[in-house]
Amino acid sequence: MPFEVLHFRGSDKLLTDSNLMEDANYTFDYIDLTLRDTHYRDELFRQSLGDLGWRDGQLTILDGRRYQYKGLKRRIAIEGNFSSYEYILNGLCRLQIGYDKGK
């Protein structure tokens, strides 16, 4: 399954500064291997992120709401959508809200 990494608001610089670039690339490769030729990608995606430590801690963006990041590690969030390209806007919205709230 091909994937594309879209850096949002200078996240490539943040990943480099926090020494997470190599970890993020390993995570994307691991997710690619895990999700290859599967149909239930959402749950496996969350499980893969949990295996690599991206789901430890507080994932909630707004208190009292169900908005959550798919993964969060050292103040770097990961979003991913597999249903259709239109859902990438939902992920970008979550990232923007978290950025505005200082999360």
Side-chain angles (χ1 to χ4, degrees):
M1 174 177 67
F3 64 90
E4 181 179 353
V5 178
L6 301 172
H7 292 287
F8 182 72
R9 290 215 181 241
S11 63
D12 52 344
K13 185 178 180 329
L14 289 172
L15 286 170
T16 304
D17 291 347
S18 62
N19 296 324
L20 270 175
M21 185 63 86
E22 189 174 310
D23 190 24
N25 287 330
Y26 175 76
T27 300
F28 300 139
D29 289 336
Y30 180 75
I31 290 169
D32 184 41
L33 280 172
T34 303
L35 299 182
R36 188 172 291 153
D37 299 328
T38 62
H39 296 288
Y40 303 106
R41 293 183 177 141
D42 287 335
E43 186 59 37
L44 286 174
F45 180 54
R46 288 184 181 92
Q47 184 179 5
S48 298
L49 289 174
D51 292 345
L52 297 173
W54 285 90
R55 294 200 46 92
D56 300 337
Q58 183 70 359
L59 298 174
T60 304
I61 300 168
L62 292 173
D63 296 330
R65 299 285 182 146
R66 292 191 298 169
Y67 290 142
Q68 286 189 338
Y69 294 122
K70 297 286 194 306
L72 183 67
K73 183 187 260 187
R74 288 191 250 160
R75 295 184 46 105
I76 303 294
I78 290 181
E79 280 295 323
N81 295 293
F82 304 104
S83 300
S84 67
Y85 287 109
E86 289 83 14
Y87 287 115
I88 195 74
L89 294 175
N90 292 342
L92 288 173
C93 182
R94 282 191 289 272
L95 291 172
Q96 182 65 50
I97 291 170
Y99 180 81
D100 291 343
K101 293 293 182 181
K103 301 261 182 166

